Amino acid sequence: MYNHRMRRPSLIDKVCTAEQAAALIKDGMTVGMSGFTRAGEAKAVPIAMAERAAADPFRITLMTGASLGNDIDRRLTEAGVLARRLPFQVDPVLRAAINRGEVMFVDQHLSETVEMLRSRQIGPMDYAIVEAVAIREDGGVVPTTSVGNTASFAILAEKVIVEINLTQPLALEGLHDIYIPTRRPHREPVPVLACDSRPGLPYIPIEPTKIAAIVFTEQSDSPSANEPPDAETNAIAAHLIEFLKQEVKQGRLGMGLAPLQAGIGTIANAVMHGLIDSPFRDLRMYSEVLQDSTIALFDSGKLAFASGSSITLGPAMTRRFNENLDAYKKRMVLRPQEISNHPEVIRRLGIIGINTALEFDIYGNVNSTHVEGTQMMNGIGGSGDFARNAYMSIFVGRSTAKGGAISTVVPMATHVDHNEHDVDVLVTEHGLADLRGLSPRERPGRIINNCAHPDYRDALRDYAERAARERGGHTPHLLEEAFSWHLRRQRTGSMKPEAGAI
Amino acid sequence: MYNHRMRRPSLIDKVCTAEQAAALIKDGMTVGMSGFTRAGEAKAVPIAMAERAAADPFRITLMTGASLGNDIDRRLTEAGVLARRLPFQVDPVLRAAINRGEVMFVDQHLSETVEMLRSRQIGPMDYAIVEAVAIREDGGVVPTTSVGNTASFAILAEKVIVEINLTQPLALEGLHDIYIPTRRPHREPVPVLACDSRPGLPYIPIEPTKIAAIVFTEQSDSPSANEPPDAETNAIAAHLIEFLKQEVKQGRLGMGLAPLQAGIGTIANAVMHGLIDSPFRDLRMYSEVLQDSTIALFDSGKLAFASGSSITLGPAMTRRFNENLDAYKKRMVLRPQEISNHPEVIRRLGIIGINTALEFDIYGNVNSTHVEGTQMMNGIGGSGDFARNAYMSIFVGRSTAKGGAISTVVPMATHVDHNEHDVDVLVTEHGLADLRGLSPRERPGRIINNCAHPDYRDALRDYAERAARERGGHTPHLLEEAFSWHLRRQRTGSMKPEAGAI
């Protein structure tokens, strides 16, 4: 019936129900699942695992590429299955459990998880549960809309459960390039010399005897949850494009710029959208997640090639993508996330990294993860892989949150994911601060005047001036009031000074 | 007279005094100087510049590899010559001027300076002033005891001043390997596949017409200022060696471990010394600075090869090194710092990075640079290049400073150079905390029990417990008292609770 999807007849006796496959997962196991940013996650078996746990409680360590769709993280959390979770998530229910200290979340650079697994610094992995469009004659597994960590999980796990998803177009075959770094101490250079390099295989090579179960599913990826661009994100995009035009004018970049990476989410997606109306041409992406903006940029003729580790689209773009898959496929590749985020390739290609900041301080230290220094939002994701090794590292964000009650620009970041050494450019809807070549003392003026919301500028200037005068130092701070804005918000609901106070 | 040192006769008319060469440097220029960690800096011309400034004030932007010897930074600071300084320094007088906000210090990852210069994100560079053992027939410059950024400075600068140092042995020729990454967008992989790879040239290839002046000098490198190992550093080394033995036992490493990087300074040097009495063998270093411990490890038969960017030794080891230079040279190479610290090579080789922490917090965030969050000590150096991209990132430090008045382990680091994502192992004289695979909530117990000084353990536990209970979150903190230890020290001179207080 599904010969074109399951092409190795000897594996036919491995076909089973999701419930049967889920029963293979035992308490205490380490499980790797496919899935990167709501794309290509295993669906039926994880859901069956959550259902089974109601009657038969068990807990596992779960590793993925990045976030999962179809509420998998919510369901597994609610069922009490997750003891430990890495390296990224975005689910509100799981997030709350992490912040209550119930699930041990290990927030990792996305390039590092399989390196640590391969060198046995974490793991070992008992099962990999991976979504596929097909199993080849040789047992090779063809991934769906993401590669993420799927390939190395399948190669390194003791056993593999494959979910063949019939809703994922068979035409995805050929979209992927599976290159696995060779073993140390004889590791070769990663042979990715350009965005469109294809040094690998179009499938995941695994020993067929490792396949413990095969489940057929028909559940779609969750659609992307990005909001459409708005006035603020358009302003951010406009400031960034104006800056890049100046870089071209100065002769530092050509009209094709440099390979672009854009983080997940509404703002980065909107910034990429903004490039449609820019003068740049023949753009290339070397990124993690390809979003609606990637398809829009292809269709606008601006984008020549896009390399990523997953593709996550809204409903309209999903239809457009699937209807023209063969055409898009010629200009796209999905890679393992250790290759999409590889320090070697990022430095070699000279990438412009564009990632989202939750807050940043007057010296350019960026918090990407922790609300008020304590509550995890999503995770660092790949932003650290890119920011440290990129040609230019740009962080974008709105200048305020919660209707203006929270300033994104603060005296001191309550958590530092990206320190001032890794942050070249900051952009909000108010403007752009180019920090390259500036010492910390030269930064507050530029960051406050260009990026902060006008309501907070005077107070930020006051802090910066008093810190420089009263305490001094390379990076002046008043430790006794560095977090006073956050404490005020905890007390009053707003970072704005209380009536009557200075 | 010095034919074997200055082998290109046509350059003879460029030979001049240091004063004449110094006169070429004008107010407002950007100048690059050789020198990396007290080794191989230009000496006579910078000193002549400082002397000239007394009568003829001028200010420049000064870039180097890393720190300079012979009090060059002090002299230039006292003479008011430094307007801007990057990417690293260790001089007390310069440090004070930086902390007063008088010299704009741009503290950079050591691999990044020449990338930014090459792509014109900083610069342009007017003059490079470089120390050499010789100028070749073809105009090529043979460096001395460091490469640092010298090669790219000389290649990218408008003009070059060469100091031929007659005290540096001519036999240093052949020690260096100058490989410069090819231009983007057609950049090739860096062909360093092992510690002993030599893809480059043994000299810096420059256009002879760029050489504006040649000065002969006879001033030696400053000797290394490392303190000898003591009981505490020996204890740190012992904990680390025991840990590495366990890694071997677990099968994660072989007896040759993995290529080792060790930061500059007394503690890292002592840790490397400790390996002499370890069971490991056939060790290799892929590091920045080769110190006394490197020579001692060679002589003990433990070390097979050492790659670095400079060599800085005490007086006794300098004699031993110079007397046996040909033998050592076969097992050593000095590279440009963008290659010694290259993310591509660091990830490929799978390096164990060992760097020094100034303070670290109960969640594993490390401050390498800022005393009490404001006062610059030296700079991040290469620690970020290694920590982010290494196989394993280890930070070492004494558990207290100032006779016990300051705890190295604090509730929250006042400045974050290396966040918890980049810190695998912490070591003090009290023990070692292996943080791999742990979530933040699992870390305080291990860090406090294993690394903190016993005098501070109860107070750290109290903070961690109350933060988890009262505030919660992925990384529990009480922002109102996160820096209370530092504020107490500012008030009382000690982080220890005041009598009568809790």
Side-chain angles (χ1 to χ4, degrees):
Chain A
M1 177 180 170
Y2 301 128
N3 296 2
H4 52 300
R5 295 279 191 167
M6 217 289 274
R7 303 177 198 147
R8 188 177 174 90
S10 69
L11 287 173
I12 194 74
D13 62 335
K14 300 295 182 188
V15 175
C16 66
T17 65
E19 292 67 32
Q20 289 169 321
L24 297 171
I25 307 302
K26 308 295 182 198
D27 187 57
M29 280 187 169
T30 293
V31 177
M33 290 186 190
S34 65
F36 188 108
T37 337
R38 306 167 78 91
E41 76 280 351
K43 298 167 178 77
V45 178
I47 291 169
M49 285 165 59
E51 284 165 359
R52 179 192 131 203
D56 170 22
F58 67 101
R59 284 165 75 76
I60 64 168
T61 291
L62 174 60
M63 303 186 193
T64 58
S67 58
L68 305 176
N70 281 291
D71 292 330
I72 304 282
D73 267 325
R74 175 180 66 73
R75 294 180 204 222
L76 291 172
T77 303
E78 287 173 348
V81 172
L82 300 181
R84 189 173 293 274
R85 180 78 176 85
L86 53 160
F88 189 79
Q89 60 77 41
V90 300
D91 182 80
V93 172
L94 172 54
R95 177 187 300 153
I98 289 167
N99 285 323
R100 285 192 306 271
E102 293 166 9
V103 176
M104 294 297 103
F105 177 49
V106 187
D107 177 22
Q108 291 182 318
H109 299 302
L110 294 188
S111 75
E112 290 193 352
T113 307
V114 300
E115 284 279 16
M116 293 194 79
L117 194 63
R118 186 181 293 132
S119 59
R120 296 194 284 157
Q121 296 189 84
I122 57 174
M125 183 167 279
D126 299 290
Y127 272 90
I129 309 176
V130 306
E131 185 176 84
V133 293
I135 297 176
R136 292 161 43 102
E137 299 84 329
D138 57 8
V141 171
V142 181
T144 61
T145 45
S146 71
V147 179
N149 284 325
T150 309
S152 283
F153 285 172
I155 289 166
L156 297 168
E158 192 69 24
K159 292 284 180 186
V160 180
I161 297 169
V162 181
E163 286 193 9
I164 297 178
N165 189 324
L166 303 173
T167 72
Q168 297 277 22
L170 199 51
L172 287 171
E173 193 166 3
L175 177 63
H176 316 93
D177 185 73
I178 311 299
Y179 176 83
I180 307 291
T182 54
R183 287 262 174 191
R184 297 182 184 123
H186 302 294
R187 187 174 284 189
E188 301 286 327
V190 176
V192 174
L193 303 187
C195 295
D196 59 357
S197 293
R198 280 185 161 275
L201 298 168
Y203 61 92
I204 302 166
I206 58 169
E207 188 50 54
T209 56
K210 284 196 359 178
I211 296 180
I214 298 168
V215 175
F216 286 90
T217 71
E218 299 194 23
Q219 192 161 344
S220 305
D221 280 352
S222 299
S224 161
N226 284 343
E227 305 285 329
D230 57 34
E232 283 181 0
T233 61
N234 286 342
I236 293 170
H239 294 306
L240 188 53
I241 288 165
E242 181 53 36
F243 166 77
L244 292 170
K245 280 158 78 172
Q246 290 301 318
E247 289 295 294
V248 173
K249 203 167 167 185
Q250 302 288 326
R252 288 194 277 259
L253 291 171
M255 287 302 274
L257 302 178
L260 300 166
Q261 174 260 340
I264 185 72
T266 297
I267 300 177
N269 186 54
V271 166
M272 295 303 288
H273 251 291
L275 292 171
I276 291 173
D277 297 318
S278 76
F280 311 120
R281 53 178 181 266
D282 198 33
L283 297 169
R284 278 145 219 277
M285 292 183 71
Y286 195 84
S287 196
E288 301 168 321
V289 187
L290 306 180
Q291 306 181 72
D292 281 2
S293 52
T294 308
I295 304 300
L297 278 165
F298 273 134
D299 294 350
S300 74
K302 290 286 181 189
L303 188 62
F305 199 89
S307 167
S309 191
S310 87
I311 179 156
T312 182
L313 303 173
M317 281 299 189
T318 300
R319 275 192 303 278
R320 199 192 301 184
F321 178 67
N322 285 341
E323 281 163 15
N324 302 283
L325 224 168
D326 285 329
Y328 289 121
K329 225 163 65 176
K330 290 183 187 132
R331 299 191 289 171
M332 287 173 68
V333 61
L334 298 186
R335 311 180 188 278
Q337 71 196 63
E338 73 168 320
I339 304 300
S340 66
N341 289 31
H342 204 294
E344 169 174 345
V345 181
I346 292 168
R347 182 64 61 96
R348 178 181 303 144
L349 300 187
I351 285 170
I352 296 175
I354 304 169
N355 291 287
T356 307
L358 197 62
E359 71 176 2
F360 53 85
D361 68 27
I362 55 174
Y363 299 110
N365 298 285
V366 170
N367 175 4
S368 301
T369 55
H370 283 68
V371 177
E372 291 180 348
T374 60
Q375 312 295 307
M376 171 55 59
M377 179 64 84
N378 299 327
I380 195 167
S383 58
D385 293 317
F386 284 94
R388 178 67 48 93
N389 303 307
Y391 160 79
M392 189 193 295
S393 172
I394 298 168
F395 283 87
V396 295
R398 300 177 198 268
S399 70
T400 61
K402 305 283 179 195
I406 294 176
S407 175
T408 302
V409 189
V410 294
M412 184 188 244
T414 52
H415 181 91
V416 177
D417 293 292
H418 308 289
N419 57 40
E420 49 112 354
H421 313 283
D422 296 328
V423 179
D424 295 313
V425 173
L426 291 167
V427 198
T428 69
E429 75 276 18
H430 292 290
L432 179 147
D434 178 1
L435 307 177
R436 292 174 298 173
L438 297 189
S439 80
R441 289 224 188 193
E442 297 171 296
R443 294 177 171 211
R446 205 170 283 195
I447 292 173
I448 296 168
N449 295 340
N450 297 10
C451 298
H453 190 282
D455 288 356
Y456 289 100
R457 286 183 192 169
D458 284 345
L460 288 166
R461 281 189 203 112
D462 174 63
Y463 177 87
E465 285 164 15
R466 284 187 298 116
R469 195 171 60 237
E470 294 170 23
R471 194 76 207 158
H474 180 58
T475 306
H477 271 299
L478 300 166
L479 294 185
E480 60 276 25
E481 61 176 278
F483 297 146
S484 61
W485 293 32
H486 302 86
L487 291 164
R488 187 185 304 131
R489 202 226 46 90
Q490 289 175 15
R491 214 168 49 238
T492 70
S494 173
M495 284 186 176
K496 290 187 179 162
E498 291 148 280
I502 295 163
Chain B
M1 176 179 174
Y2 300 129
N3 296 1
H4 52 303
R5 296 278 191 167
M6 217 288 275
R7 303 178 197 147
R8 189 178 173 90
S10 69
L11 287 174
I12 195 74
D13 61 336
K14 300 294 181 188
V15 174
C16 65
T17 65
E19 292 66 31
Q20 288 169 320
L24 297 171
I25 307 303
K26 308 294 182 199
D27 187 56
M29 280 187 170
T30 293
V31 177
M33 290 186 190
S34 66
F36 188 108
T37 339
R38 305 167 78 89
E41 77 280 349
K43 299 167 178 76
V45 178
I47 291 169
M49 285 165 60
E51 285 164 359
R52 177 190 133 205
D56 169 23
F58 66 102
R59 285 165 74 75
I60 63 167
T61 292
L62 174 59
M63 303 186 192
T64 57
S67 58
L68 306 176
N70 281 293
D71 293 329
I72 303 283
D73 267 325
R74 176 179 66 72
R75 295 181 203 221
L76 291 172
T77 303
E78 287 173 348
V81 171
L82 300 181
R84 189 173 294 275
R85 180 77 175 85
L86 54 160
F88 189 78
Q89 61 76 41
V90 300
D91 182 80
V93 172
L94 172 54
R95 179 187 299 152
I98 289 166
N99 286 322
R100 286 194 305 271
E102 292 167 9
V103 176
M104 295 296 104
F105 178 49
V106 186
D107 176 23
Q108 291 182 319
H109 299 303
L110 294 189
S111 74
E112 291 193 351
T113 308
V114 298
E115 283 279 16
M116 292 193 79
L117 194 61
R118 186 182 293 132
S119 58
R120 296 194 282 159
Q121 296 188 83
I122 56 174
M125 181 167 279
D126 298 291
Y127 272 89
I129 308 176
V130 306
E131 185 176 85
V133 291
I135 296 176
R136 292 162 42 104
E137 299 84 330
D138 57 8
V141 171
V142 182
T144 61
T145 45
S146 69
V147 179
N149 284 325
T150 309
S152 283
F153 285 172
I155 290 167
L156 296 169
E158 193 66 27
K159 291 284 179 186
V160 180
I161 297 169
V162 182
E163 286 193 10
I164 297 179
N165 189 324
L166 302 172
T167 72
Q168 297 277 21
L170 199 52
L172 287 171
E173 193 167 3
L175 178 62
H176 316 93
D177 184 73
I178 311 299
Y179 176 83
I180 306 292
T182 53
R183 287 262 173 190
R184 297 180 185 125
H186 302 293
R187 187 175 282 189
E188 302 286 327
V190 176
V192 174
L193 304 186
C195 296
D196 60 357
S197 293
R198 281 185 161 276
L201 299 168
Y203 61 92
I204 301 166
I206 58 169
E207 188 52 52
T209 56
K210 285 201 350 182
I211 298 180
I214 299 170
V215 176
F216 286 90
T217 71
E218 298 194 25
Q219 190 160 346
S220 303
D221 280 351
S222 301
S224 161
N226 285 342
E227 304 285 328
D230 57 33
E232 283 182 0
T233 62
N234 286 341
I236 292 170
H239 294 305
L240 187 53
I241 287 165
E242 182 54 36
F243 166 77
L244 292 170
K245 280 159 79 172
Q246 290 301 319
E247 289 294 295
V248 173
K249 204 167 167 186
Q250 303 287 326
R252 288 193 278 259
L253 291 171
M255 288 301 275
L257 302 177
L260 299 166
Q261 174 261 340
I264 184 73
T266 297
I267 300 178
N269 186 53
V271 166
M272 295 302 288
H273 250 290
L275 291 171
I276 292 173
D277 299 317
S278 76
F280 310 120
R281 53 177 181 267
D282 198 31
L283 297 169
R284 279 147 217 276
M285 291 182 72
Y286 195 84
S287 198
E288 299 168 322
V289 187
L290 306 180
Q291 306 181 72
D292 280 3
S293 53
T294 307
I295 303 300
L297 277 165
F298 273 134
D299 293 351
S300 75
K302 289 287 182 189
L303 188 62
F305 199 88
S307 167
S309 190
S310 86
I311 179 155
T312 181
L313 304 173
M317 280 299 187
T318 299
R319 277 192 301 278
R320 199 194 298 183
F321 178 69
N322 285 340
E323 281 163 15
N324 302 282
L325 223 169
D326 286 328
Y328 290 120
K329 224 164 65 175
K330 291 183 185 129
R331 299 191 288 170
M332 286 173 67
V333 62
L334 297 186
R335 309 180 189 280
Q337 70 196 62
E338 73 169 320
I339 304 299
S340 67
N341 289 32
H342 203 294
E344 169 174 345
V345 181
I346 292 168
R347 182 65 62 93
R348 178 182 302 142
L349 299 186
I351 285 169
I352 297 175
I354 305 169
N355 291 289
T356 306
L358 196 64
E359 72 175 1
F360 53 86
D361 69 27
I362 56 174
Y363 299 109
N365 299 286
V366 170
N367 175 3
S368 302
T369 54
H370 283 69
V371 176
E372 292 181 345
T374 59
Q375 312 295 307
M376 172 55 60
M377 179 65 84
N378 299 327
I380 195 165
S383 58
D385 293 318
F386 285 94
R388 178 68 46 94
N389 301 307
Y391 161 78
M392 190 192 295
S393 172
I394 298 168
F395 283 87
V396 296
R398 299 177 199 269
S399 71
T400 61
K402 305 282 178 196
I406 293 177
S407 175
T408 303
V409 189
V410 293
M412 184 187 243
T414 50
H415 182 89
V416 177
D417 293 292
H418 308 289
N419 58 38
E420 49 114 353
H421 313 283
D422 296 326
V423 179
D424 295 314
V425 172
L426 291 167
V427 199
T428 69
E429 74 277 17
H430 292 289
L432 179 146
D434 178 1
L435 306 177
R436 293 173 297 172
L438 297 188
S439 78
R441 289 225 187 193
E442 297 171 298
R443 294 176 171 212
R446 206 170 281 195
I447 292 172
I448 296 167
N449 295 340
N450 297 9
C451 298
H453 190 283
D455 287 356
Y456 288 100
R457 287 184 194 170
D458 285 346
L460 288 166
R461 282 189 202 109
D462 174 63
Y463 176 86
E465 286 164 16
R466 285 186 298 114
R469 197 170 59 238
E470 294 170 22
R471 193 78 206 158
H474 181 59
T475 306
H477 271 299
L478 300 166
L479 294 185
E480 59 275 28
E481 61 176 279
F483 298 144
S484 60
W485 294 32
H486 302 86
L487 290 165
R488 188 185 303 130
R489 203 226 46 90
Q490 290 176 13
R491 212 167 51 235
T492 70
S494 172
M495 284 186 176
K496 289 188 181 163
E498 290 147 279
I502 292 162

